[in-house]
Every structure is written in structure tokens, then in C-alpha cells.
Amino acid sequence: MTSRLFVAGVLVAAVIPAPVAAAAPAAAHQVTYTVTAQQPVSADIYYRDVDPPTWADYSHNPYQFSPKVTVDIGPQQPWVLTVQLADPDRWAMVSATRGRLPAEPGFRCELAVDGVVVATGEGPRGALCSLRHW
């Protein structure tokens, strides 16, 4: 009888799959955004500080995942923000602009991932830094 119970237990164990371990969440990367300008200016800066759950969620409302700040920047007054992103290749982004101005402030941005600068951008009236082509 004991051997029949043992065999039955082995058969049941072979039929019922073992629980699958949940995939470990992606390790977060430190993403640092830096924005400056050649001339002092009040800049509108959009940036990504969270990974959207899906592309569909992002597409439905990109501004939900792209906060905007208006800050004064200049040659000796950068705006710097460090965030944690699981997939910076897909989501890291910072842009700076300031509507119509009589002068060109000369924006410059820099995007670093885990301490390594991976993208830069510059322009007379705006700049975009991203690893992805939007």
C-alpha cells in the first residue's frame, strides 16, 4: 500500500507543474538630464521621469508621462534632474524650448545613463536629447 501511495504521489507531482518564479523586475538605471542655454532664459523643459507601462498607455496620453517645468537657466545656471528608469533606451528624453523670443538663447541638453553621456543636443531655439528617434 505504501508503494502505491508513493507512486501515486510521484504521478501527481509529475502532472502538476511547479510554480514558475516571477521574472525579476528590470534594474533601474540612473538617468541624468542637464539643460543649459548660452543666454539667460525662462525655459519650458519636458522630461520623462517614469517608464510608461505600455506603448499604448504612452500614446494615449504622452503628457501624462512627460512632466513640464518652466525654469530660469543660463550659461552658469543649468537645470539638472536625476531619475530612475528601467528602460532608458526606450523612454529617456528631455527637451527644452521657449516659444517666440526676440533673441536666440542657444539651448543645449545632455542625457547621461549610469554616469555615461549617451546623447546631446543643441539648437538656437530648442534642444532635444533622447536615445530613441521620436
Side-chain angles (χ1 to χ4, degrees):
M1 180 69 134
T2 304
S3 64
R4 283 188 199 166
L5 289 175
F6 175 75
V7 171
V10 170
L11 290 175
V12 169
V15 173
I16 300 173
V20 177
H29 295 273
Q30 181 176 305
V31 176
T32 302
Y33 304 123
T34 305
V35 178
T36 61
Q38 293 173 345
Q39 304 296 321
V41 65
S42 179
D44 291 333
I45 300 173
Y46 289 92
Y47 58 94
R48 193 86 23 74
D49 62 350
V50 298
D51 295 83
T54 67
W55 179 254
D57 291 329
Y58 173 78
S59 295
H60 180 68
N61 187 0
Y63 292 104
Q64 176 184 354
F65 302 101
S66 305
K68 175 186 134 185
V69 294
T70 300
V71 295
D72 293 331
I73 61 172
Q76 302 302 318
Q77 189 178 359
W79 175 83
V80 179
L81 178 68
T82 299
V83 301
Q84 301 292 317
L85 295 176
D87 191 356
D89 289 338
R90 188 172 190 189
W91 298 116
M93 180 281 306
V94 64
S95 70
T97 189
R98 186 59 194 176
R100 295 181 179 256
L101 293 172
E104 296 180 343
F107 286 103
R108 185 171 195 291
C109 62
E110 180 179 284
L111 190 158
V113 176
D114 297 329
V116 177
V117 175
V118 293
T120 60
E122 58 184 37
R125 295 189 181 268
L128 169 67
C129 286
S130 175
L131 294 174
R132 176 187 194 137
H133 297 287
W134 294 93

